Each structure stands twice: as C-alpha cells, then as structure tokens.
Amino acid sequence: MRKRMFSYLWGVLVLLSMMVFTTGFTANAASPKAFKSVTVRADKKNITKKTYALEIGKSKSLKVAVSPKRAVRSIRYKSNKPKIVAVSKKGKVTAKKKGTAKIQITVTGKNKKKKSTWVKIKAENPAIKSVSVMIGNRNVTGKSYSLE
C-alpha cells in the first residue's frame, strides 16, 4: 500500500512539474505576432514622421510597411483636421483646403499590441506651371509686339 501511494504521489508531482515548466515560456524573437517596425511610404519615398506636400484637390495613397508582415492584424488612419486633409480607411489621403494636418497611423498586431506613427500632410495651392498672354485671338506669349 505504501509503495502504491508513493508511485501515485510521484506521478502527480511529475505531471504538475511538466505543467508548470511547459507553460509561460514564449519565444518573442521568432513569434509572428510581434512586429518590429512601421514605415509609411508615398511616391516610393519614406515619409514616416515627416511632412509631405500635396496639392489641393489631389489624392495620394499611403503605403504602410510593417516588419514582419504576418504580424499585422489591422491598420487604422486618422486625420486630426479632416476639413483640411481627409483620409480613408484604406489610407487614401485627399487635400481639401490649404493648411497642415497630422495623419496618425496605428498598427495593431496579432498579439493585440499597438504601434503608431504619423505623417504631416501640407495641403497647398497648385503651382502655376505656365502663363499665356492673348491679344484678340492671337497668342503673344514670348514674342514682342508694339501697340499703337
């Protein structure tokens, strides 16, 4: 009876020690749930934590690169001044009127941890590319004329 009780207690002890030592250990370095960096790009340029100029009425899609890719659960975009610069759920930025707005980008990982970054969008008037002068029906740009 004593031998049987000893083997029963020994089995329970081994089972409990296995449960304690096998749980609670996680490998974060190899885990696909943890992400390391978040980068925002527009026009093949990194614009993370920078100011990007955009003409009023124009749109640009922001591309978010996360390392590693498989760690991403969701990406959210938010403009602090949506009347100046609006942003869609997919990251399409549209300049509405002159001014500067900050776009906050929040990436949520599969482990439910969040990383965020920002981009400032400066909405400006379109640049004048050319000027033409007409007199009557004739284009006189770049020519010299005398008027009487």
Side-chain angles (χ1 to χ4, degrees):
M1 175 92 168
R2 235 174 149 193
K3 192 174 188 182
R4 187 173 171 189
M5 184 68 129
F6 179 75
S7 14
Y8 177 75
L9 286 175
W10 183 252
V12 170
L13 182 65
V14 169
L15 183 65
L16 285 175
S17 66
M18 286 177 56
M19 288 174 52
V20 169
F21 289 115
T22 58
T23 59
F25 290 111
T26 57
N28 287 335
S31 175
K33 294 182 180 181
F35 47 86
K36 298 173 187 170
S37 67
V38 177
T39 307
V40 183
R41 303 187 92 188
D43 292 333
K44 298 181 182 179
K45 296 178 189 174
N46 285 345
I47 59 170
T48 306
K49 297 182 180 176
K50 294 181 182 174
T51 302
Y52 182 79
L54 189 62
E55 290 181 1
I56 296 173
K58 301 282 182 174
S59 296
K60 190 61 67 177
S61 289
L62 298 178
K63 308 244 186 293
V64 177
V66 180
S67 172
K69 288 182 183 180
R70 63 180 183 249
V72 178
R73 183 176 184 187
S74 67
I75 301 172
R76 295 188 66 189
Y77 303 89
K78 186 177 179 182
S79 175
N80 69 338
K81 297 177 185 172
K83 291 183 179 180
I84 295 173
V85 177
V87 63
S88 72
K89 289 181 180 181
K90 296 197 177 203
K92 185 175 181 182
V93 177
T94 305
K96 292 185 169 184
K97 66 181 189 178
K98 191 173 182 176
T100 303
K102 189 174 183 180
I103 306 296
Q104 188 75 29
I105 301 154
T106 305
V107 179
T108 305
K110 290 183 180 178
N111 60 357
K112 297 183 183 171
K113 289 189 178 181
K114 295 180 180 181
K115 264 197 175 184
S116 61
T117 188
W118 55 268
V119 173
K120 283 187 180 177
I121 305 293
K122 183 177 182 182
E124 44 190 38
N125 291 325
I128 299 172
K129 295 179 181 165
S130 66
V131 176
S132 63
V133 179
M134 302 284 286
I135 297 178
N137 292 345
R138 293 185 174 179
N139 185 358
V140 294
T141 305
K143 300 176 183 175
S144 61
Y145 282 92
S146 61
L147 296 174
E148 295 179 19

